[in-house]
Structures are given as structure tokens and as C-alpha cells.
Amino acid sequence: MQEFIQDLRKQLTPPQFASWQTLLLMSIFSVFLAGLVQGWVRDLISSCGWIWLILSTWWFVYENKKTMTVSDWFSGPWIVGGLMGGFLVSTVRFVPWSTALILWPPLSAVIAVLPNFIATDNDTKTPKWTKPALSKRQGMLLLTLSHLLIACWFQFYFVLQGWLSDYPSLRADRFDRSAFVVNLGQDENFSRGRDVLRTAEDELRKKFATMSWPEVERWLLEMNREMPKLNTEVQAKLDRQKIRFAENSWWGLKGKVTGGEYDLDLYAVWQGPSSKTTGYTITKSCQVSPNTVMIRTTKPALKNGKPTIVTESKPKVVGKIKCEMPSQPRFEQPDENGVGA
Amino acid sequence: MGTFTGVMPLRAVAFQIMFLLLAIAIEGVILQAQLRIPRKLSMQYAATTNLLATAVGWMVFFIVEPLLAADWRKELIGYVFFGIKTIPVPVVLVGFGMFLGTFLLKLQGAEWLDMILEKAPIEKKTAFDPGKFRGRQRVHADFQLGPSRPLAILWANAASFSAISLLLALRLFVH
């Protein structure tokens, strides 16, 4: 431990004023200083800290180019580029980290080819701009283009994430046949079919609670006509959710009475892109039964010659719906032979 | 936005690297044979123009994708996540457009490469000496035999596109 600290100290002691160690110490000093203040002063000082750190690292990687090179590939520019990205995300707050990640490869490429543009003026011993040597240009070009290509791959990742947040139910499916993506976290629970079914159940519960039992029975008999209406209502409700998913219109709602007195199956059918041409279906089995509730009515009446309000309770038979948990996604269309929509 | 999932374009990256290497190898050989230039030079041309075409292709995709109508995006998402089961007409049309686009881009890319590397164009016209009578036949022959770079690039592009299309078709049938 003692030895390690001694060694570290020796490493970090600037050999001369102009060295990477000086810049690193300035950076560490800035971090301490930034911890003491608030507001824009803090931002300013921490920005300085980042810049010292970037310059120090830049210096360090070029001083130790041999050890940083793994079989012809010099990792230095990537490290410096990554730090620049960190600086952009943490201090320049309007840069989201996706942008910083996409900028990382091109930044690294610029850092890697930059030395070729700089020459030392022989008279004044100062750096000056120069055209890169002819023999270097081909390599520089290939390096820049390949780094641009890597940035495109990063960008493509974010395009995919955009699609998946617009159409999250895609993630419930299998991507085995894709030539583009692999799914490292396939999970059938991502399907929003359950949301669709829950909304439909809520709508039906509200509807049946206000209908008399004969009306409910008629509704169930005329499901062919009633289901599209329910579908529209459910769609409208889904579109009013806090996040309005673009995939809502890719969900279809179907229903079928599967048994007397009344077993009702509700189906959420995925009509978007799928690994099977038919899409998949999530089923929810429900039971509709009569339910007697006391309906309270208030009406004005005359009592002892004075107008008052009397409350009357009378029993009314309405509909009640009880549903089980939704099924797992099944890659088949619901059976349409029964009373369906 | 804001969700980050485990859905990664790793297959796209693997296929792209494979197809790039294949295209560079094929085009390098064809350019070398057609233009009678050293192998290293032909490989440089092939590598640079193909990388350029790939990067520009991605940029075009990123610009066009947000402009797509909902139905087209639905199709595109289907292709990307679930592959294709048949060969739909739009895919063929896009492939043809890519062939023309990459050809023009590679043609221009070769010009730019010459400019950056400060190379004189390969088809340098030798000074014609009017004092010497060569006869009509000879002039005619010269005109035809000189290696034409656009034609060589067209051949190279056609060959690499055919090879890649063949592989993609094979994948479709095997899968």
C-alpha cells in the first residue's frame, strides 16, 4: 500500500510545468472548488475541470501511445472522445446522451486524424496547420468513413428504440427471422393487449351497471352490432391515456359468447407486424350475470301540504361482469364460429 | 422516446460487415482486371467508395424514415423486426434504386478520391501528334481499347450487388 501510494505520487508529480500531470491536478482542484459553490459558478468551474481533464487525458494517451495501442488499434482517441461526450452530457445539459453516443465515433475520428493536420514550424518552433502527407491520406479517409459507419449503427439503435416506444407490443413477439435485430430481453408481458382488455372490461362494467338485465341480454345477443361500438369506445379511451401510443390503432377488439348464462370471451387481436402473418391474440374470459341493486330515486312530493323531497329505494336487476386474468399471447385468430364481431 | 431495450441491431452490424468485405473483395478484383491498375490501388478504390456509399445510404435512411406514411412505416417495421417471407415489389424497387444510387456515388467517390490523393485521372489522353499520320483505323482502335472507368465501376457494382442479392435470396429460401 505504502509502495503503491509512493508510486502513484511519483506518477502524478508533474515532471515539468507543461505536462499532463499539471492539467490533471488542475482538474482535480476544479472538482474540489466546484463542490464549494452553487449555480452558474459551479457550472463554469466544473466545465473548466472537464476541459483540463480532457486535455490532460489527450496529452497522456499520446505520451503513452505504445501502451495504449492494441494490435494496431490506438484506443486513445476513443477515450478522449468519450470524455468529450461525458462533458457534453453532464455540463451542456441540452445534449441528450443518445446524441453524445452518436457523436462519439466521429469525434474520436477527428481526434485521431488531427495530428496529421499539424506540423511544427521550423523557424518559430510553433505548431501550424498543414496538409496531411500524401501517404497518410488514404488511411485517414478509411478511418473517418468507418467511424461514421459506426455512428450510423448507434443512430440505428436509437431509431429502433423510437419504434419500440411507439409500438411497445412488438417486444412481445419473436425476432428470430429478423436480419437486423436480436432481442436480448424478449418478454410476452410487454404486450399492451392486457391494457386493451382491461379497458374493454371497465367499459362493459360501466355499461352493464346502467342497463336492466333484459337489455344486457339483448346486448349479448346482438354482439355482432355492439362490439364495433365498444371497440370505438375503447380506442377513444386508449387514445386519452397519459401516453398516447401510436400502436393503438393496431389493436382490434373482438368478443364471443361461449356458453349460456353468459360466458363471454374478449379477444385483443394484434394487427400490426408480427412473426406470424395472422398476428397474435390475448384472451380474457368473463362471466356476465344478473345483479340486483337498490336504486335510489329522489322526487319532490307534497307532505302535509308542504313541498319536500322524498327518497325512495327500489330494487333493480342490472348486469354484472366478472373477468379472469388475461391469457398469454397466442399466435392464432380467435374462433369466429360463435357469436362474434 | 426514453425507453432503452435489449433490442440491438447486432445482426444488421454483422451482415453489414460481411457484405462490405465481400463487396470490397469482388469490386477490387474487377477494378484491377478492367483498369489494369495495381491490386493495392484497386482495393483502395473499392474500400473507400463502398464505405462512402454505406455511410451515405444510412444517412438517406435516417432522413427518409421519419417522412414515411404510416402504412409504409408499418411495412418497414415488419421487415426490420420479422424479416420478409416473400420478395415484395417495394423491396425490389428500393434495391434497384440503391443500385443506381450507389453506382453514381461510387463514380463520384472515385473522382473525389483522385482529388484527395492528388492523382491524375487514369484515362490520361496522350498528346496527339498531328504531324504523324496514323490512319483512321488506329485512332478508332485507341478510342475503343482505352479502359473506361465508369464502365469498370458499373461492372464492379453489378457484380457485388448480384453476389449480395444472391446471398439474401439464399437466406430467404433456407430460413
Side-chain angles (χ1 to χ4, degrees), chain A residues 210-327:
Chain A
T210 58
M211 289 157 83
S212 68
W213 179 242
E215 281 174 336
V216 172
E217 285 191 299
R218 195 176 318 130
W219 193 95
L220 289 170
L221 270 171
E222 292 178 349
M223 262 182 86
N224 280 332
R225 261 193 17 226
E226 299 291 345
M227 264 335 257
K229 281 191 221 160
L230 180 68
N231 194 9
T232 321
E233 285 158 23
V234 168
Q235 283 288 337
K237 205 156 181 207
L238 287 174
D239 284 346
R240 282 198 301 274
Q241 275 180 344
K242 202 159 46 175
I243 309 169
R244 189 181 180 281
F245 289 101
E247 70 165 34
N248 286 348
S249 58
W250 290 359
W251 280 107
L253 187 68
K254 294 185 178 186
K256 196 175 103 182
V257 175
T258 53
E261 282 297 299
Y262 286 96
D263 287 331
L264 172 68
D265 272 3
L266 291 173
Y267 309 102
V269 185
W270 173 250
Q271 292 153 344
S274 163
S275 57
K276 298 271 166 29
T277 33
T278 47
Y280 63 84
T281 304
I282 299 179
T283 312
K284 194 169 206 170
S285 301
C286 301
Q287 276 213 310
V288 185
S289 52
N291 187 26
T292 311
V293 289
M294 300 306 277
I295 302 284
R296 242 184 230 185
T297 47
T298 51
K299 60 179 181 187
L302 277 175
K303 201 177 178 186
N304 300 334
K306 280 183 199 163
T308 48
I309 291 170
V310 290
T311 314
E312 279 179 1
S313 285
K314 42 176 203 207
K316 187 190 177 191
V317 184
V318 295
K320 175 176 89 170
I321 184 166
K322 211 178 120 223
C323 294
E324 287 162 26
M325 292 294 286
S327 73

Side-chain angles (χ1 to χ4, degrees), chain A residues 41-106:
Chain A
V41 188
R42 184 184 201 144
D43 285 349
L44 182 76
I45 295 177
S46 68
S47 297
C48 289
W50 270 105
I51 292 168
W52 304 139
L53 180 66
I54 290 166
L55 292 177
S56 158
T57 315
W58 202 331
W59 197 322
F60 173 81
V61 294
Y62 276 94
E63 216 170 80
N64 300 278
K65 196 167 175 175
K66 273 220 180 72
T67 48
M68 309 285 295
T69 303
V70 189
S71 64
D72 272 4
W73 179 70
F74 177 37
S75 58
W78 279 85
I79 296 169
V80 180
L83 283 176
M84 286 181 172
F87 171 51
L88 285 179
V89 173
S90 70
T91 314
V92 191
R93 292 206 180 83
F94 55 83
V95 178
W97 75 270
S98 56
T99 310
L101 192 65
I102 293 163
L103 280 178
W104 188 15

Side-chain angles (χ1 to χ4, degrees), chain A residues 134 137-138 141 152-153 155 157 161 163 165 171 175 177-184 250 271 273-274, chain B residues 1 3 5-9 11-12 15-16 48 62 65 74 80-82 84-85 113 116-118 171:
Chain A
L134 264 179
R137 289 185 196 175
Q138 180 66 55
L141 213 53
C152 289
W153 292 336
Q155 168 81 54
Y157 172 78
Q161 302 316 306
W163 286 348
S165 56
R171 288 167 72 193
F175 299 158
R177 288 181 57 103
S178 171
F180 292 88
V181 301
V182 287
N183 193 355
L184 302 179
W250 290 359
Q271 292 153 344
S274 163
Chain B
M1 280 288 177
T3 48
T5 66
V7 180
M8 306 254 185
R11 287 199 184 122
F15 273 121
Q16 182 133 67
T48 317
F62 296 136
E65 188 270 327
K74 190 174 171 181
V80 169
F81 285 128
F82 305 112
I84 49 175
K85 287 124 197 163
L113 189 63
I116 291 170
L117 298 182
E118 290 177 15
R171 184 177 178 276

